Amino acid sequence: MTGPVVVGIDGSPASMAAAWWAAHEAARRHLPVLLLHSWTSQPLDVTVPQEALSKQQYGGRVLQRAEAELRHRHGDLTVNTELVSTPAAQALLDLGAGADLLVLGSSGHGAVAGFLLGSISLHVLGLARCPTVTVRADDPAVEAGWDRPAAPDRDEVVVGVRAAGPAADPLLEFAFTTARAEHSRLRAVRALPLSSLLTHPRALSGEEADGGYETDERARLAAALAPWREKFPDVPVVGHVARGSAAQVLLSASAHSRLTVVGRRHHPSRLAWKLGPVAHGVLHHVPCPVAVVPHD
């Protein structure tokens, strides 16, 4: 991994929370940070004169303040800035082609979090070529400062594993790499749909009462994790198999997570993008930062 950690900055508290998280992660991974501001995509709740020059000056001040804050928190961190006229979503996607990670701010969480993320964030989450992390401004860990040790109850990286195979490799590589950098335990989660109680041949048998079906799924998950355990022997790993919708199971498993990782299929065109229901559900309700990792 050699690309920078790119974070979109617009002057809002949410974007500064994203910058703090990005700086912490970049320092852990020994990568530079690139602060990006699009002066044509400034937030509606920031009062700025409409003249283009004033907007550019405002953007320059936003970048200067953010750069000074990150250098104060992380003295050895390489911080670069870029002020662009390109619309924010397009600029983030362009830079994401060569980035190690994109980081975006979210205003909060709850039933309307999809709206709080905003159209720019959703567009980037749906099309970025690299992993993209959303960070909530109201996350207590962000407010405390990411340069402090993790709280005892936020000591896991959670990753949703829908099925074994090549499609899961980008998610697992990102999750294991992050867990190792954060000195955290990794929890790999596999959700068993409730419909399996009716459709699986063993679901209603006497074996199911002894957990036969779940035992099979645990074995499959363990087999998928085996090569990654060997590659990252210093990362403690927990296999987590439970019944329910994938979003519900991930939400429950993320109670002690410092980061939750979900997948999203690559899209060949920027004209069409879509986040699946699991990613939407996690982004809506999981209180910790969420990483969306593209895969084939």
Side-chain angles (χ1 to χ4, degrees), residues 81-98:
T81 64
E82 191 162 337
L83 179 66
V84 299
S85 60
T86 308
Q90 180 182 337
L92 285 164
L93 290 172
D94 289 343
L95 288 172

Side-chain angles (χ1 to χ4, degrees), residues 1-2 5 9 28 34 46 64 76 94 98 131 139 145 160 172 183-184 196 204 208 210 222 231 245 252 255:
M1 296 184 292
T2 57
V5 176
I9 297 291
R28 293 273 192 183
L34 175 58
V46 175
Q64 289 175 356
D76 296 332
D94 289 343
D139 188 328
L172 292 172
H183 305 288
S184 297
S196 64
L204 298 179
E208 180 60 22
D210 297 327
K231 186 176 180 179
S245 72
S252 176

Side-chain angles (χ1 to χ4, degrees), residues 206-223:
E207 291 176 290
E208 180 60 22
D210 297 327
Y213 177 45
E214 290 191 14
T215 298
D216 289 348
E217 292 301 318
R218 291 181 191 279
R220 292 188 181 95
L221 178 59

Side-chain angles (χ1 to χ4, degrees), residues 36-60:
L36 172 71
H37 178 86
S38 167
W39 62 265
T40 60
S41 304
Q42 289 166 353
L44 296 177
D45 58 349
V46 175
T47 302
V48 182
Q50 294 303 307
E51 291 79 4
L53 180 59
S54 296
K55 287 190 173 186
Q56 292 180 60
Q57 291 172 341
Y58 168 81

Side-chain angles (χ1 to χ4, degrees), residues 75-211:
D76 296 332
L77 184 66
T78 299
V79 183
N80 300 307
T81 64
E82 191 162 337
L83 179 66
V84 299
S85 60
T86 308
Q90 180 182 337
L92 285 164
L93 290 172
D94 289 343
L95 288 172
D100 193 74
L101 190 66
L102 289 177
V103 186
L104 309 171
S106 169
S107 299
H109 63 87
V112 295
F115 297 100
L116 292 175
L117 280 171
S119 60
I120 292 175
S121 294
L122 289 172
H123 191 80
V124 173
L125 286 164
L127 288 175
R129 300 180 187 178
C130 67
T132 304
V133 176
T134 61
V135 181
R136 306 193 188 285
D138 58 356
D139 188 328
V142 175
E143 293 172 355
W146 283 98
D147 49 344
R148 300 182 185 180
D153 63 342
R154 298 280 294 275
D155 60 350
E156 292 186 339
V157 172
V158 171
V159 57
V161 183
R162 182 176 180 180
D169 288 347
L171 281 73
L172 292 172
E173 181 174 15
F174 180 84
F176 270 90
T177 299
T178 302
R180 181 172 62 183
E182 299 287 351
H183 305 288
S184 297
R185 181 170 55 243
L186 184 138
R187 181 174 296 271
V189 178
R190 171 85 168 95
L192 305 182
L194 294 175
S195 60
S196 64
L197 289 171
L198 299 176
T199 59
H200 195 274
R202 297 171 64 179
L204 298 179
S205 69
E207 291 176 290
E208 180 60 22
D210 297 327

Side-chain angles (χ1 to χ4, degrees), residues 233-266:
D234 52 339
V235 176
V237 181
V238 175
H240 183 119
V241 176
R243 292 193 185 278
S245 72
Q248 291 171 337
V249 171
L250 277 170
L251 178 61
S252 176
S254 297
H256 303 291
S257 177
R258 63 186 299 123
L259 179 71
T260 297
V261 184
V262 296
R264 188 222 76 211
R265 290 189 178 278
H266 277 292

